[in-house]
Amino acid sequence: MGDHTHSWAAAPGAAERARSVLAAAWSCTLTAEGTREELVGAHTVTDDGRVLLDVPEDGALLAAAICAPRGEPSAVLEFADVAPVPVRNRVRSRVWLAGWSCVEGGRLELRPTRVVLRRPSGALMVGADEFAAAAPDPLAGAEARLLTHLADCHADAVERLTRLVDPASLQGAVRVRPLAVDRHGLTLRIERARTDGDVRLAFHAPADDVSQLTERMHVLLAQAAAASCPRPLQGQRADGDG
């Protein structure tokens, strides 16, 4: 692996991850009193974590949310965090929000009282106050564009970054793809013939915008250039995309 070190090992907290999923997602599923509907391009999130939804004024969803029994959350929202780069198992996480709904300015407003973040490692409960106080990752809105560009135009750089990965993690690897990026680091998906796994390369300091991210990536690539080469990949396979 070479002599590279990372002084900054932080990762986004659960509340920040959940807010980032909502900030980047284009669609969601709303369930209210047994009525379920997919909404596309219909949600926005306020700074304090309320979700505003554009739904038909005469639709069943609006009526179901308003007429829900008192004392119980009246709606549930589900968001899927899908990797922008084709890989196996593209859903990186899911976020569920249950809460109270009301109509504000012609839009359905959901105030979350319960937030659950489910990742491959398991589910995490996020406190409503913690969720309201959190902010999305500053790179969330640009992540899809950044990762797609890295995968499509700089595959050589991705392969070079594998020099920073423990050689044991590359045993049997047939393809490595960029899976996620946030202000704290870059995650790579290592695909094998039948299994896959993820490794995280932490930045030496957080990146709060794209220009800082560019500098952090250059540092990682410089560290990779100075590292010893791992065992070569067995070949880049394109099958099995999820």
Side-chain angles (χ1 to χ4, degrees), residues 49-215:
R50 291 173 292 125
V51 183
L52 306 179
L53 298 157
D54 291 314
V55 296
E57 293 183 1
D58 57 351
L61 280 174
L62 193 62
I66 294 174
C67 298
R70 291 183 179 273
E72 298 180 7
S74 56
V76 176
L77 278 173
E78 178 183 346
F79 294 83
D81 172 28
V82 181
V85 174
V87 293
R88 298 192 194 121
N89 305 315
R90 290 184 73 171
V91 178
R92 302 179 297 189
S93 64
R94 295 184 186 274
V95 176
W96 286 273
L97 298 91
W100 308 106
S101 59
C102 63
V103 179
E104 290 288 342
R107 308 179 79 186
L108 183 63
E109 176 185 303
L110 179 76
R111 295 177 178 268
T113 58
R114 183 183 183 190
V115 180
V116 178
L117 170 68
R118 177 174 289 280
R119 308 185 69 217
S121 56
L124 294 171
M125 293 290 298
V126 179
D129 292 341
E130 184 183 4
F131 178 79
D137 186 272
L139 301 176
E143 184 195 28
R145 171 175 56 84
L146 294 168
L147 288 180
T148 300
H149 178 75
L150 180 60
D152 292 347
C153 303
H154 299 286
D156 57 331
V158 175
E159 183 171 356
R160 201 153 62 241
L161 288 171
T162 61
R163 297 181 182 183
L164 302 178
V165 177
D166 184 342
S169 297
L170 294 172
Q171 289 292 327
V174 295
R175 186 171 74 163
V176 178
R177 302 279 273 170
L179 178 71
V181 68
D182 55 64
R183 69 191 185 104
H184 300 294
L186 174 72
T187 300
L188 301 177
R189 167 66 55 83
I190 300 175
E191 294 184 348
R192 304 175 185 86
R194 300 183 185 277
T195 62
D196 53 68
D198 302 334
V199 294
R200 184 171 175 82
L201 304 178
F203 299 143
H204 68 278
D208 293 327
D209 54 40
V210 174
S211 64
Q212 289 185 3
L213 173 65
T214 300
E215 187 275 336

